[in-house]
């Protein structure tokens, strides 16, 4: 494996320096935040990462009697993990014979499923190639590296690379391929509302970090020394444009310049007093909901960026439920479900439901078998959710694993399901809808050739008429 | 001889060689004689001579030959060489050249220096370069620039001068020694201060380290456990605030310990210990939401950072704070379809000792025949270690009978109960480590920890992480290997002697030497150290509330990391490349603006909001805007002010264009507004990426 050198290519620097210089112009232009004035072919992907490994087996539970009895025989009431059948929120997937039940905190997700705007993809995970229990037991080289390690699987799932060594994310690589769709635009197409996760690093794309309006401008001192604020800002910018040698200096300089230049576009969007978004989030308050509210406001103001394609990343922490799972998991899922519910309502009001697709992914699932302390340990295959007006919702996709400890789909004896759908298959389905060319898919997903069916079919096509009006078919 | 021995044997610089420049003549001049320098300052060599600020150390084993031409026919310039051959040939040329023609005339043996070896200098010595103005070909007086500044040579080469390479090897100049001490303090404390720089310069780096290693431990205040009694424990904000009414905060928040950390960061004399506790708590991570438990576990860290690694690890592993965080308190053997919890078993191996892949002694990954990394442990090892980590319960509340009560309590070690422990035989690492049946929880846990400490991965894995949090994010395998060797054996047969390891990290040539000029050297200052450095350097009074609030916003909620992977992942890299840059996990497009705004805000604040004393903070004083009295006198002379701050924050490396920008900005502030001038300089320096990256 060749270490990858930092590509502070002159093209990247030139783009940023141009943006930096242009920010003065952008700031001077009168802002028009009228809704719905974006380019006709606008689309956005919203990635929600459930950090720590969400316990899929308590998020969706088999609701038919035989299926539920099987669940309760492993996740017994004595184990502290059991959810009573009467508390689950039932759904009937269109192509399955038997029903499932959502975790009681997932009311909004249940509604979206019933409205056919949420699809469930079963047993998704990192794979080297399609794998079976026998195959994996006899040939360890077929396993993703460091399979149950958080850091390695976060890297793997976010970079679409089972070696866990790739530091460039598939979100970043998607953004790298948006130059054609976002022709001539300098505003960063990829925004993270939280930290610098691998998913958002591209080879040529630098992500913009937006975590609220507080850090989008140089504040004045507010202490009556205004005459020095302009001097200070000018001095900071001048120093920031000077030549440097040290690699870390240069990287910090790039990030700082990006912050300065994009901020002038983002600030009025995030401070928009006439925004219709906040009302939908009035009754939800969590880090995830706040991130999704920021995303919704940026979607509302997308015309100011002049982009046709945008990617947003939201980190949702706290899913590593090793002990006392029921309480913690309830909190996380409530926050997630309410946040997504509010987000979809805002999108409906913005008439963007068909143009924005949201999906969830995670380090891994968790062991079906309980661990001491009323918790679970690190697993493998897990559910993924896809939400939006362009989603063929109300159904399950992929193949459910046999829920038996030590069974044909268990890599061991503790209920760690060997994925039946790879991250690449899941992601490629989304990427196609997003408009990535077929020939660019291997760039985004380097291991895609190992899997034959790379369109799982959970997205609708769109047809546009001569006036740019689109209809989902 | 080793580089370190060479450094130790160098004579101290007798004086610094001072450089002058005359813009009318476009000539440079150097002298090591302070009397001569003063005479030149006062016009003794004619008008127009100004000090450039560049200096290098005088001292060595060879005297330098000094030559002078003449006013007429010239050259009206001086020439120095440490090369005996060059000196001799110029003397011969002098003897055979008539006085009416341009020639160099030998004046004297002047200051001492050292001849370069192979075009360079040993580590610990400073290369001195020379450039020639090509005067002979251009028909003007020959002149040479002799300096240790690479920038200075580049500047004249850009005007057409010829680069003659390294011509002398100098000992560290006064300025260089000070810069080295500033860098040492950035690596080994919570931030340099002018006073601490003077102190270390006075007693020497190695004696100072030795002193720090044996100093008394600054203690977090002991916090008693208080039963949460709803009748008394209403809230922690309504006066009167008593120890009882404060019990909510006391029992459920890490904040008071964090506030105490920031207060102590300013005044505690055992800075090396506090810095190492800060480093170690990011490797052996725990978090907690209760004051007395956090206080206890962080105090354990402080007390063991200069003992052995095994002692530190055992002590920390048995802390009930960690036990709860990592799900191993109350862990049980397989029963009723419930397996032993694997949380701590995995992280004990992955994060606290050996890491995920097999390592060579220098920290580079071993590879198999196919070139692939080799896993250091398997899932089976995790499951087996989970069986070892069973049977421990919370320590007992005062007066409670000996039993496994399940009542959460965080003072004291966790207590083992063999009847709750998996007593079966256990085999780890493919049979390499075997724990016999029925030896009890204590023996099992100690044996397992001993096996992990003894694993060949542990010295390089730990050494590398320590270096990354102290000196540089991308150490060479050589650096890692040298420190790991000390970890393996401190010279007296002890494994994991952390005092010796800490010392080895700080004294290594890669921490002290020329590698600091390389482009991939350095580490971004994480939020906590960015702010403690400011508090200390500028003497900002605080009760800790504001810095803790700011750092929490920036992603470092002290002692309450979201996961065991620390506030930012240890394997973070720079913008999708493979260059290690963990702290960039907390530096984004918005963090730059955040730091800029916060620096300005605290400098100018007139109270209110988070700067005010809070009623629920003991001995609250808030964080008033700093008076910066030490720096005000220099505000009258911007060049002096900027240079002083350059030495304190940038160890003398401020770029010429950055200096000019700052001087221009200050120049537009009237001299009567001295405090505003100092604030402007601080704003521009602290927020620069040059400062944000510790080098």
């Amino acid at each position: 494996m060749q270490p990858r050198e930092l590509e502070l290519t002159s093209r990247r620097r030139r783009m940023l320096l141009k943006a930096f210089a242009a920010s003065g112009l952008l700031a001077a232009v009168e802002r028009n935040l009228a809704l719905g004035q974006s380019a006709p072919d606008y689309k956005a992907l919203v990635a929600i990462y459930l950090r720590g490994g969400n316990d899929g087996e308590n998020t969706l539970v088999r609701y038919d009697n035989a299926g539920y009895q099987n669940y309760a025989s492993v996740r017994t009431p004595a184990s502290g993990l059991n959810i009573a059948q009467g508390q689950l929120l039932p759904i009937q997937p269109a192509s399955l014979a038997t029903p499932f039940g959502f975790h009681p905190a997932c009311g909004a997700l249940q509604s979206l499923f019933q409205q056919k705007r949420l699809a469930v993809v079963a047993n998704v995970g990192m794979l080297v190639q399609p794998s079976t229990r026998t195959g994996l037991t006899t040939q360890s080289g077929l396993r993703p590296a460091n399979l149950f390690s958080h850091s390695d699987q976060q890297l793997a799932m976010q970079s679409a690379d089972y070696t866990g060594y790739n530091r460039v994310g598939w979100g970043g690589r998607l953004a790298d391929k948006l130059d054609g769709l976002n022709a001539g635009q300098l505003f960063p197409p990829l925004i993270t509302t939280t930290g610098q996760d691998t998913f958002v690093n591209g080879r040529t794309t630098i992500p913009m970090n937006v975590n609220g309006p507080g850090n989008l401008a140089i504040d004045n001192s507010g202490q009556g020394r205004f005459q020095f604020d302009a001097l200070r800002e000018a001095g900071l910018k001048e120093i920031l444009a000077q030549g440097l040698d040290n690699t870390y200096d240069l990287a910090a300089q790039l990030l700082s310049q990006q912050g300065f230049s994009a901020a002038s576009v983002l600030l009025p969007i995030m401070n928009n007093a006439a925004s219709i978004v906040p009302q939908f989030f009035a009754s939800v308050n969590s880090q995830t909901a706040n991130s999704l509210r920021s995303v919704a406001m940026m979607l509302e103001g997308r015309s100011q960026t002049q982009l046709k394609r945008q990617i947003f990343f939201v980190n949702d922490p706290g899913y590593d439920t090793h002990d006392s799972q029921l309480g913690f998991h309830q909190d996380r899922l409530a926050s997630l479900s309410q946040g997504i519910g509010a987000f979809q309502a805002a999108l409906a009001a913005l008439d963007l439901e068909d143009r924005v697709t949201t999906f969830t992914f995670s380090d891994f699932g968790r062991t079906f078998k309980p661990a001491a302390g009323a918790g679970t340990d690190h697993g493998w295959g897990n559910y993924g959710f896809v939400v939006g007006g362009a989603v063929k919702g109300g159904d399950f996709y992929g193949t459910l694993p046999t829920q038996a400890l030590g069974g044909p789909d268990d890599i061991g004896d503790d209920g760690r399901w060997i994925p039946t759908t790879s991250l690449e298959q899941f992601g490629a389905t989304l990427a196609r809808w997003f408009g990535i060319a077929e020939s660019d898919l291997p760039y985004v997903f380097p291991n895609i050739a190992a899997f034959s069916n790379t369109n799982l079919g959970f997205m609708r096509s769109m047809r546009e008429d001569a006036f740019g009006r689109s209809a989902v078919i | 001889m080793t580089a370190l021995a060479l450094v130790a044997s160098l004579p101290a610089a007798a004086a610094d060689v001072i450089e002058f420049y005359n813009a009318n003549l476009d000539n440079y001049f150097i002298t090591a004689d302070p009397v001569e320098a003063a005479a030149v300052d006062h016009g003794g060599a004619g008008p127009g001579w100004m000090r450039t600020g560049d200096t290098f150390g005088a001292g060595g084993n060879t005297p330098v030959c000094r030559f002078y031409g003449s006013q007429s026919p010239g050259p009206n310039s001086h020439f120095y060489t440490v090369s005996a051959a060059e000196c001799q040939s110029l003397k011969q040329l002098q003897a055979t050249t008539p006085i009416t023609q341009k020639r160099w005339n030998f004046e004297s043996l002047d200051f001492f220096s050292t001849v370069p070896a192979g075009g360079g200098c040993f580590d610990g010595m400073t290369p001195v370069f020379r450039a020639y103005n090509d005067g002979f070909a251009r028909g003007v007086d020959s002149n040479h620039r002799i300096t240790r500044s690479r920038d200075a040579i580049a500047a004249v080469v850009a005007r057409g001068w010829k680069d003659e390479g390294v011509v002398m090897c100098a000992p560290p100049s006064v300025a260089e020694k000070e810069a080295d001490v500033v860098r040492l303090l950035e690596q080994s404390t919570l931030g340099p201060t002018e006073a601490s720089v003077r102190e270390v310069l006075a007693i020497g780096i190695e004696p100072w380290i030795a002193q720090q290693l044996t100093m008394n431990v600054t203690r977090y205040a002991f916090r008693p456990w208080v039963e949460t009694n709803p009748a008394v424990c209403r809230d922690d904000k309504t006066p009167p605030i008593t120890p009882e009414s404060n019990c909510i905060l006391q029992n459920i928040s890490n904040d008071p310990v964090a506030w105490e950390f920031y207060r102590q960061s300013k005044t505690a004399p055992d800075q090396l210990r506090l810095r190492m506790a800060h480093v170690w708590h990011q490797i052996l991570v725990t978090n907690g939401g209760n004051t007395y438990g956090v206080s206890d576990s962080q105090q354990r860290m402080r007390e063991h950072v200069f003992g052995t690694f095994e002692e530190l690890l055992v002590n920390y592993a048995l802390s009930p704070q960690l036990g709860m965080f990592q799900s191993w308190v109350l862990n049980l053997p397989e029963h009723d379809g419930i397996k032993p919890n694997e949380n701590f078993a995995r992280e004990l191996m992955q994060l606290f000792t050996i890491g995920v892949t097999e390592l060579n002694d220098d920290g580079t990954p071993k590879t198999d025949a196919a070139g692939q990394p080799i896993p250091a442990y398997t899932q089976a090892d995790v499951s087996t270690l989970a069986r070892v980590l069973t049977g421990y319960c919370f320590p007992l509340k005062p007066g409670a009978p000996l039993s496994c009560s399940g009542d959460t309590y965080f003072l004291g070690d966790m207590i083992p109960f063999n009847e709750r422990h998996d007593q079966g035989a256990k085999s780890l690492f493919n049979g390499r480590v075997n724990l016999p049946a029925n030896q009890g929880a204590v023996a099992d846990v100690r044996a397992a920890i001993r096996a992990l400490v003894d694993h060949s991965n542990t010295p390089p894995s730990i050494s590398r992480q320590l270096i990354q949090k102290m000196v540089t994010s991308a150490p060479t395998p050589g650096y890692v290997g040298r420190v790991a060797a000390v970890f393996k054996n401190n010279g007296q047969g002890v494994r994991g002697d952390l005092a010796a390891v800490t010392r080895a990290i700080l004294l290594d040539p890669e921490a002290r030497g020329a590698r600091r000029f390389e482009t991939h050297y350095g580490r971004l200052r994480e939020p906590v150290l960015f702010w403690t450095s400011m508090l200390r350097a500028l003497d900002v009074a605080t009760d800790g509330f504001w810095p803790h609030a700011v750092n929490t916003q920036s992603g470092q909620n002290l002692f309450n990391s979201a996961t065991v992977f620390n506030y930012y992942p240890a394997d973070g890299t720079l913008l999708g490349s493979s260059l290690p840059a963990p702290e960039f996990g907390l530096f984004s497009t918005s963090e730059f603006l955040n730091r800029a705004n916060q620096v300005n805000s605290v400098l100018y604040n007139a109270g209110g909001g988070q700067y005010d004393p809070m009623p629920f903070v003991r001995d609250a004083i808030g964080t008033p805007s700093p008076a910066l009295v030490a720096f005000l006198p220099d505000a009258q002379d911007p060049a002096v002010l900027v240079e002083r701050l350059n030495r304190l924050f940038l160890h003398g490396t401020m770029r010429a264009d950055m200096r000019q920008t700052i001087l221009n900005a200050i120049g537009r502030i009237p001299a009567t507004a001295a405090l505003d001038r100092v604030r402007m300089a601080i704003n521009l320096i602290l927020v620069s990426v040059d400062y944000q990256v510790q080098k």
Side-chain angles (χ1 to χ4, degrees):
Chain A
M1 188 267 315
Q2 285 299 318
R4 227 179 62 74
E5 276 305 299
L6 179 62
E7 289 182 30
L8 289 170
T9 61
S10 55
R11 172 172 171 272
R12 202 184 211 181
R13 283 190 57 84
R14 264 187 280 118
M15 278 183 67
L16 282 162
L17 290 171
K18 260 208 281 189
F20 187 53
S23 67
L25 280 172
L26 287 169
V29 169
E30 270 281 292
R31 297 255 154 264
N32 175 6
L33 289 167
L35 298 172
Q37 296 301 316
S38 63
D41 186 29
Y42 178 86
K43 285 183 184 173
L45 265 179
V46 180
I48 303 180
Y49 189 72
L50 311 181
R51 184 174 229 91
N54 177 44
D55 181 34
E57 296 298 4
N58 262 14
T59 307
L60 280 166
V61 180
R62 283 164 170 75
Y63 199 72
D64 63 292
N65 281 336
Y68 183 81
Q69 290 315 315
N70 179 50
Y71 159 87
S73 71
V74 175
R75 293 191 166 191
T76 60
S79 73
L81 271 188
N82 180 273
I83 300 177
Q85 192 174 20
Q87 291 192 310
L88 297 167
L89 307 176
I91 52 171
Q92 179 56 62
S95 58
L96 293 184
T98 51
F100 272 70
F102 261 115
H103 184 289
C106 295
L109 298 183
Q110 181 202 27
S111 295
L112 288 164
F113 188 90
Q114 288 162 340
Q115 295 160 36
K116 301 200 182 305
R117 284 184 287 142
L118 186 151
V120 176
V121 187
N123 207 17
V124 183
M126 211 62 229
L127 286 172
V128 175
Q129 63 183 50
S131 303
T132 63
R133 178 182 166 105
T134 333
L136 289 170
T137 316
T138 51
Q139 293 177 265
S140 67
L142 291 185
R143 299 183 188 213
N146 303 311
L147 193 44
F148 307 116
S149 148
H150 281 300
S151 52
D152 294 83
Q153 292 315 305
Q154 282 164 13
L155 275 174
M157 290 293 280
Q158 294 190 18
S159 65
D161 181 346
Y162 61 81
T163 67
Y165 275 104
N166 200 331
R167 304 300 180 149
V168 181
W170 61 273
R173 290 196 295 268
L174 275 174
D176 290 346
K177 289 300 174 185
L178 293 178
D179 285 352
L181 291 158
N182 285 331
Q185 298 312 314
L186 293 173
F187 190 87
L190 203 166
I191 292 185
T192 168
T193 57
T194 46
Q196 298 287 107
D197 277 88
T198 298
F199 182 81
V200 302
N201 288 323
R203 299 201 68 186
T204 54
T205 304
I206 294 180
M208 176 77 188
N209 182 289
V210 177
N211 57 3
N215 296 321
L216 289 176
I218 286 289
D219 272 351
N220 60 43
S221 63
Q223 308 291 337
R225 297 291 185 174
F226 304 106
Q227 69 268 36
F228 302 130
D229 293 321
L231 209 53
R232 170 176 145 253
E233 183 163 351
L236 285 175
K237 283 185 171 168
E238 190 173 307
I239 293 175
L240 213 48
Q242 289 166 352
L244 298 164
D245 291 322
N246 182 281
T247 307
Y248 296 102
D249 284 3
L250 282 167
Q253 185 184 47
L254 273 175
L255 290 167
S256 304
Q257 287 171 340
Q258 175 110 325
F260 253 128
S261 63
S264 58
V265 173
L266 278 174
L267 196 57
I269 294 175
M270 300 305 291
N271 283 341
N272 180 11
S275 167
I276 67 162
V277 166
Q279 62 188 293
F280 297 102
F281 289 87
S283 60
V284 296
N285 185 23
S286 64
Q287 183 187 325
T288 311
N290 293 340
S291 293
L292 287 171
R293 184 182 61 221
S294 294
V295 173
M297 293 189 71
M298 284 185 270
L299 288 167
E300 184 181 32
R302 67 201 178 281
S303 62
Q304 301 309 310
T305 68
Q306 302 178 35
L307 293 171
K308 289 192 179 185
R309 290 291 185 276
Q310 283 184 284
I311 302 170
F312 298 90
F313 178 80
V314 173
N315 177 49
D316 186 9
Y319 286 88
D320 189 27
T321 47
H322 277 283
D323 63 73
S324 314
Q325 172 170 312
L326 281 185
F328 290 116
H329 202 210
Q330 162 83 23
D331 275 343
R332 298 324 308 147
L333 290 181
S335 158
L336 179 69
S337 176
Q338 289 167 19
I340 290 179
F343 185 63
Q344 290 301 315
L347 290 180
L350 292 169
D351 196 25
L352 280 175
E353 283 189 284
D354 292 351
R355 300 194 172 280
V356 179
T357 298
T358 301
F359 67 95
T360 66
F361 61 140
S362 191
D363 311 14
F364 29 62
R366 304 189 77 82
T367 52
F368 190 45
K369 181 172 181 178
T376 48
D377 285 313
H378 303 170
W380 198 354
N382 200 359
Y383 291 107
F385 301 123
V386 193
V387 190
V391 176
K392 289 188 196 167
D395 207 355
F396 278 35
Y397 295 82
T399 308
L400 286 159
T402 304
Q403 246 190 353
L405 300 183
D409 289 308
D410 192 349
I411 183 64
D413 297 313
D414 294 335
R416 297 175 158 106
W417 311 133
I418 302 163
T420 41
T421 293
S422 74
L423 184 278
E424 288 83 352
Q425 294 168 291
F426 181 64
T429 309
L430 291 163
R432 273 202 197 75
W433 167 80
F434 194 53
I436 296 297
E438 198 70 30
S439 54
D440 284 335
L441 285 175
Y443 172 85
V444 180
F445 302 104
N447 195 34
I448 198 171
F451 308 98
S452 49
N453 176 18
T454 60
N455 189 348
L456 300 176
F458 53 72
M459 299 301 300
R460 302 177 198 282
S461 311
M462 289 179 84
R463 187 183 53 219
E464 300 202 348
D465 65 17
F467 301 99
R469 292 174 301 205
S470 65
V472 160
I473 56 171
Chain B
M1 77 179 128
T2 67
L4 275 176
L6 187 63
V7 169
S9 69
L10 285 174
D16 280 356
V17 179
I18 312 274
E19 184 185 64
F20 290 84
Y21 178 64
N22 189 313
N24 306 324
L25 305 171
D26 191 21
N27 269 10
Y28 293 89
F29 170 71
I30 54 171
T31 177
D33 179 357
V35 173
E36 181 172 38
V40 173
D41 280 332
H42 292 101
W49 289 101
M50 304 289 293
R51 295 190 184 213
T52 62
D54 285 342
T55 64
F56 62 89
N61 53 22
T62 309
V64 167
C65 288
R66 172 168 158 155
F67 291 82
Y68 175 66
S70 55
Q71 289 219 342
S72 176
N76 185 14
S77 175
H78 287 76
F79 180 75
Y80 292 85
T81 178
V82 73
S83 156
E86 192 170 35
C87 186
Q88 193 55 33
S89 90
L90 283 176
K91 282 179 175 175
Q92 282 171 342
L93 203 54
Q94 176 184 2
T96 57
T97 305
I99 198 167
T100 47
Q101 289 179 25
K102 289 193 179 191
R103 73 181 189 194
W104 294 110
N105 301 301
F106 178 73
E107 280 201 330
S108 63
L109 289 176
D110 204 279
F111 63 92
F112 276 71
S113 192
T114 304
V115 178
C121 302
F122 285 118
D123 242 351
M125 301 196 77
T126 301
V128 178
F129 310 96
R130 191 170 71 201
Y132 170 53
N133 74 341
D134 212 16
F136 187 75
R138 290 163 51 205
V140 300
D141 267 358
S142 284
N143 187 246
H144 296 78
R145 186 169 196 186
I146 302 175
T147 174
R148 67 175 166 95
S149 162
R150 290 163 169 78
D151 280 352
I153 295 294
V156 293
V157 164
R159 302 210 292 273
W161 291 44
K162 302 294 178 222
D163 187 348
E164 296 190 329
V166 178
V167 294
M168 295 179 210
C169 294
S173 63
V174 168
E176 284 176 285
K177 285 204 285 204
E178 182 190 77
D180 191 36
V181 165
V182 172
R183 293 184 62 248
L184 172 82
L185 294 172
E186 290 184 328
Q187 295 160 350
S188 64
T189 70
L190 299 175
T193 64
E194 288 182 323
S196 63
V197 171
R198 282 193 294 270
E199 181 197 339
V200 180
L201 276 173
I203 73 172
I205 287 179
E206 290 195 50
W208 178 81
I209 292 175
Q211 217 178 57
Q212 286 282 314
L213 289 171
T214 54
M215 219 172 248
N216 284 339
V217 182
T218 295
R219 304 193 59 89
Y220 287 110
F222 175 70
R223 284 155 170 100
W225 165 78
V226 177
E227 184 80 75
T228 311
N229 179 352
V232 175
C233 192
R234 299 177 308 282
D235 65 50
D236 46 64
K237 292 182 166 66
T238 307
I241 308 294
T242 66
E244 288 68 37
S245 69
N246 227 3
C247 63
I248 289 183
L249 202 64
Q250 185 115 316
N251 279 357
I252 70 162
S253 170
N254 58 306
D255 293 342
V257 188
W259 301 331
E260 191 170 14
F261 168 83
Y262 289 107
R263 292 185 209 192
Q264 291 177 347
S265 76
K266 279 209 64 193
T267 53
D270 52 336
Q271 284 286 311
L272 180 59
R273 181 181 291 275
L274 262 56
R275 173 64 180 267
M276 293 317 294
H278 180 68
V279 167
W280 276 105
H281 101 284
Q282 297 187 67
I283 299 173
L284 307 181
V285 179
T286 191
N287 77 5
N290 61 78
T291 313
Y292 76 99
V294 169
S295 180
D296 182 67
S297 69
Q298 293 306 318
Q299 188 61 41
R300 287 174 191 249
M301 199 74 69
R302 275 187 180 174
E303 283 170 9
H304 288 90
V305 292
F306 295 144
T308 68
F309 177 64
E310 184 165 353
E311 284 163 7
L312 173 63
L313 188 55
V314 167
N315 210 279
Y316 177 67
L318 294 179
S319 68
Q321 196 80 27
L322 176 83
M324 186 152 106
F325 181 51
Q326 287 289 284
S327 322
W328 88 278
V329 70
L330 303 173
N331 200 14
L332 284 168
E334 171 94 29
H335 69 286
D336 303 325
I338 301 168
K339 60 192 185 63
N341 198 296
E342 292 174 6
N343 196 2
F344 188 47
R346 185 183 303 282
E347 311 307 355
L348 175 59
M349 289 195 286
Q350 177 167 348
L351 297 176
F352 296 173
T353 52
I354 62 180
V356 288
T357 61
E358 300 256 338
L359 300 175
N360 295 308
D361 288 343
D362 61 3
T364 53
K366 285 186 182 168
T367 50
D368 62 16
Q372 294 305 307
I374 304 164
Y377 57 89
T378 61
Q379 176 56 40
D381 290 322
V382 176
S383 304
T384 304
L385 192 54
R387 294 172 50 213
V388 172
L389 299 169
T390 52
Y392 275 79
C393 301
F394 282 105
L396 301 171
K397 286 182 178 174
L402 178 64
S403 72
C404 182
S405 68
D407 223 359
T408 64
Y409 182 66
F410 296 104
L411 292 181
D413 281 355
M414 289 193 292
I415 305 174
F417 291 87
N418 283 337
E419 59 270 28
R420 296 172 61 95
H421 177 68
D422 180 323
Q423 291 275 39
K426 303 159 191 82
S427 178
L428 292 165
F429 304 126
N430 238 348
R432 212 164 41 76
V433 176
N434 290 295
L435 308 179
N438 298 313
Q439 64 171 357
V442 174
D444 264 354
V445 169
R446 289 306 301 255
I449 288 183
R450 168 65 57 84
L452 293 174
V453 171
D454 285 349
H455 192 293
S456 59
N457 263 25
T458 298
S461 176
I462 294 293
S463 299
R464 187 160 190 274
Q465 291 181 75
L466 293 174
I467 293 171
Q468 286 182 305
K469 287 192 157 46
M470 295 167 69
V471 178
T472 181
S473 294
T476 57
Y479 191 8
V480 175
R482 292 188 292 272
V483 176
V486 173
F487 189 110
K488 284 199 300 206
N489 187 335
N490 68 348
Q492 281 101 50
V494 176
R495 185 178 181 87
D497 175 353
L498 297 180
V501 168
T502 306
R503 196 170 167 281
I505 291 172
L506 293 171
L507 295 179
D508 192 274
E510 197 151 314
R512 311 258 57 78
R515 200 170 119 66
R516 70 187 180 280
F517 298 117
E518 291 178 19
T519 54
H520 286 4
Y521 189 88
R523 58 183 295 273
L524 183 74
R525 294 175 209 270
E526 73 222 65
V528 168
L529 289 179
F530 178 82
W531 292 110
T532 58
S533 299
M534 186 194 185
L535 296 177
R536 286 175 53 77
L538 301 178
D539 196 18
V540 181
T542 182
D543 56 17
F545 180 82
W546 168 77
H548 181 47
V550 165
N551 282 313
T552 300
Q553 266 187 331
S554 294
Q556 263 187 316
N557 182 350
L558 262 193
F559 313 135
N560 207 8
S561 163
T563 74
V564 70
F565 283 79
N566 192 33
Y567 313 104
Y568 49 89
D571 58 359
T573 60
L574 198 60
L575 295 179
S577 73
S578 56
L579 185 66
E583 290 76 14
F584 272 84
L586 290 182
F587 192 89
S588 61
T589 52
S590 62
E591 176 64 8
F592 164 75
L593 287 165
N594 180 42
R595 291 189 189 188
N597 290 336
Q598 296 288 0
V599 170
N600 186 54
S601 187
V602 69
L603 286 174
Y604 276 97
N605 92 82
Q610 55 192 356
Y611 299 110
D612 269 348
M614 299 293 162
F616 47 85
V617 173
R618 300 248 173 100
D619 305 319
I621 59 169
T623 305
S625 71
L628 305 173
V629 287
F631 301 95
L632 290 178
D634 287 335
Q636 302 312 309
D637 189 342
V640 169
L641 173 67
V642 172
E643 179 57 13
R644 181 172 172 187
L645 295 171
N646 173 30
R647 286 161 53 207
L648 180 57
F649 289 109
L650 294 171
H651 58 273
T653 59
M654 186 182 287
R655 295 172 287 107
D657 48 359
M658 179 169 160
R659 186 189 301 264
Q660 196 57 57
T661 302
I662 299 173
L663 287 172
N664 290 346
I666 296 177
R668 295 177 60 184
I669 301 173
T672 45
L675 190 52
D676 291 305
R677 284 185 157 192
V678 179
R679 285 161 165 164
M680 180 64 67
I682 290 168
N683 261 322
L684 295 178
I685 292 173
L686 255 57
V687 177
S688 70
V689 300
D690 305 68
Y691 177 69
Q692 303 259 19
V693 177
Q694 171 198 334
K695 303 177 210 60

